[in-house]
Amino acid sequence: GELEAAFAFQGGTHVLHETIQYLVERHDFENQWLAALGRSPVPTTLIWGLKDAVAVPEVAEYVWNNYLKNRTSAPATFHQLPDANHYLQVDHAEVVAQLIRDIHREKDAALVV
């Protein structure tokens, strides 16, 4: 299927086992990364699937409530997709694409004003 093709792109399945290393890095740097996200001057949109069994919705809610919701360094938005799983960009590609288009449309409109 589509997901298998994405993993296989440019031989990705040969290094897929190495990607789990990010868990070690996350353990070591998670607090630093989240603090940087909270201070970032980059507008941020968090899109999360509510049926994600890998990174459960409570992860997104924690990040939103503690690092993005009230930050003053740049705007942030949070979208939760009720029927989406961990690979929401695959199983709900059109919805994710539309959210991205809307974000860029809003950004472009703000530049015109």
Side-chain angles (χ1 to χ4, degrees), residues 7-48:
F7 285 145
F9 182 72
Q10 294 186 347
T13 54
H14 297 295
V15 296
L16 190 59
H17 65 282
E18 295 177 19
T19 62
I20 201 68
Q21 180 64 27
Y22 90 90
L23 288 173
V24 173
E25 294 170 350
R26 189 171 103 187
H27 176 268
D28 292 344
F29 300 108
E30 181 173 16
N31 291 333
Q32 290 171 260
W33 292 343
L34 288 171
L37 180 64
R39 295 186 309 269
S40 175
V42 177
T44 303
T45 298
L46 185 60
I47 307 172
W48 215 270

Side-chain angles (χ1 to χ4, degrees), residues 11-111:
T13 54
H14 297 295
V15 296
L16 190 59
H17 65 282
E18 295 177 19
T19 62
I20 201 68
Q21 180 64 27
Y22 90 90
L23 288 173
V24 173
E25 294 170 350
R26 189 171 103 187
H27 176 268
D28 292 344
F29 300 108
E30 181 173 16
N31 291 333
Q32 290 171 260
W33 292 343
L34 288 171
L37 180 64
R39 295 186 309 269
S40 175
V42 177
T44 303
T45 298
L46 185 60
I47 307 172
W48 215 270
L50 292 180
K51 292 192 175 181
D52 190 336
V54 177
V56 296
E58 289 81 6
V59 172
E61 291 166 8
Y62 175 81
V63 172
W64 175 252
N65 288 324
N66 292 286
Y67 296 95
L68 292 173
K69 183 178 182 180
N70 296 313
R71 78 176 185 175
T72 58
S73 59
T77 57
F78 184 23
H79 301 274
Q80 296 174 304
L81 305 184
D83 296 322
N85 66 32
H86 191 63
Y87 296 102
L88 53 93
Q89 72 278 18
V90 174
D91 69 338
H92 284 72
E94 187 53 41
V95 174
V96 172
Q98 187 60 53
L99 283 169
I100 293 168
R101 284 191 293 270
D102 291 347
I103 291 163
H104 284 283
R105 193 174 299 116
E106 291 169 14
K107 181 183 118 234
D108 291 343
L111 293 175

